[in-house]
């Protein structure tokens, strides 16, 4: 499924983000940037130690990554050239600014991609695994944030959501 807004196409696909050949894939990381389970684990496993090495340099410089922010590293052995690491919110029932933080995680990743003059970026469904964000609400925020962003001044050509199950794909399709 696809939708075009100005010069940017948004597409939704079922798949494994570590296989995605784009300028940058986005990692749903944690503030330590030292890897973890889920998509974070899969990215570090497939990309190899070069990514972690750069994460360590970043943490030495800026400390832990605050939820809603994003940083960029190389892509190691991944087909993607770069990894943008962002941290989504842990779900606490919706009373701890989760919506703002999730929206910021998407937006800051897009801003960073544009700053680096990247043309193609792929996202996973941030916060909907270990961090427990309700899927329909997270999909709504993801789609709204991306649409609003590209309605402004972006040079991105394609934003792909690589979704890990049919259920997740359908939730995003409904909101696109
Ligand atoms: N490709 C695409 N999506 C994937 C992949 C993959 N290879 N693997 C998992 N997913 P999660 P979070 C989906 O838990 O909720 C980590 O330990 C998964 O099905 O990876 O933001 C970090 O270090 C789900 O839909 O991220 C943090 O501690 C989505 O990716 C914490 O988990 C996000 O699930 C972050 O939790």
């Amino acid at each position: 499924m696809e939708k075009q807004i100005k010069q940017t196409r948004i597409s939704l696909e079922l798949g494994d983000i570590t296989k995605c050949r784009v300028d940058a894939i986005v990692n749903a990381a944690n503030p330590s940037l030292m890897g973890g389970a889920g998509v974070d684990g899969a990215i570090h496993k497939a990309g190899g130690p070069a990514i972690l090495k750069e994460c360590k340099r970043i943490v030495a410089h800026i400390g832990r990554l605050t939820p809603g922010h994003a940083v960029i590293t190389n892509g190691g052995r991944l087909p993607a050239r770069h990894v943008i690491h962002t941290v989504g919110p842990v779900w606490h029932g919706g009373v701890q600014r989760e919506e703002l933080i999730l929206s910021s995680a998407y937006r800051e990743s897009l801003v960073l991609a544009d700053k680096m003059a990247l043309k193609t970026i792929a996202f996973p469904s941030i916060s909907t695994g270990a961090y427990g964000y309700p899927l329909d609400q997270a999909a709504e925020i993801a789609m709204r944030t991306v649409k609003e962003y590209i309605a402004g001044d972006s040079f991105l050509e394609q934003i792909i959501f690589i979704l890990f199950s049919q259920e997740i794909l359908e939730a995003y399709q409904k909101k696109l």
Side-chain angles (χ1 to χ4, degrees), residues 101-114:
I101 297 166
L102 186 59
S103 179
S104 171
Y106 282 105
R107 197 168 39 253
E108 292 295 309
S109 299
L110 293 164
V111 166
L112 194 48
D114 259 319

Side-chain angles (χ1 to χ4, degrees), residues 2 7-11 13 17 19-27 72-73 79-84 109-124 146 149-150 154-162:
E2 281 195 2
Q7 73 273 47
T8 315
R9 248 178 318 137
I10 306 172
S11 45
E13 289 174 20
I17 203 165
K19 304 275 190 322
C20 200
R21 190 172 295 279
V22 283
D23 293 335
I25 62 171
V26 176
N27 182 16
I72 189 165
T73 66
R81 282 168 46 216
H82 303 276
V83 178
I84 292 176
S109 299
L110 293 164
V111 166
L112 194 48
D114 259 319
K115 256 190 207 152
M116 299 290 292
L118 307 184
K119 297 292 173 210
T120 54
I121 182 171
F123 283 99
V146 166
Y149 180 78
I150 61 180
S154 172
F155 292 100
L156 285 164
E157 287 169 3
Q158 194 177 19
I159 300 170
I160 313 172
F161 280 79
I162 304 286

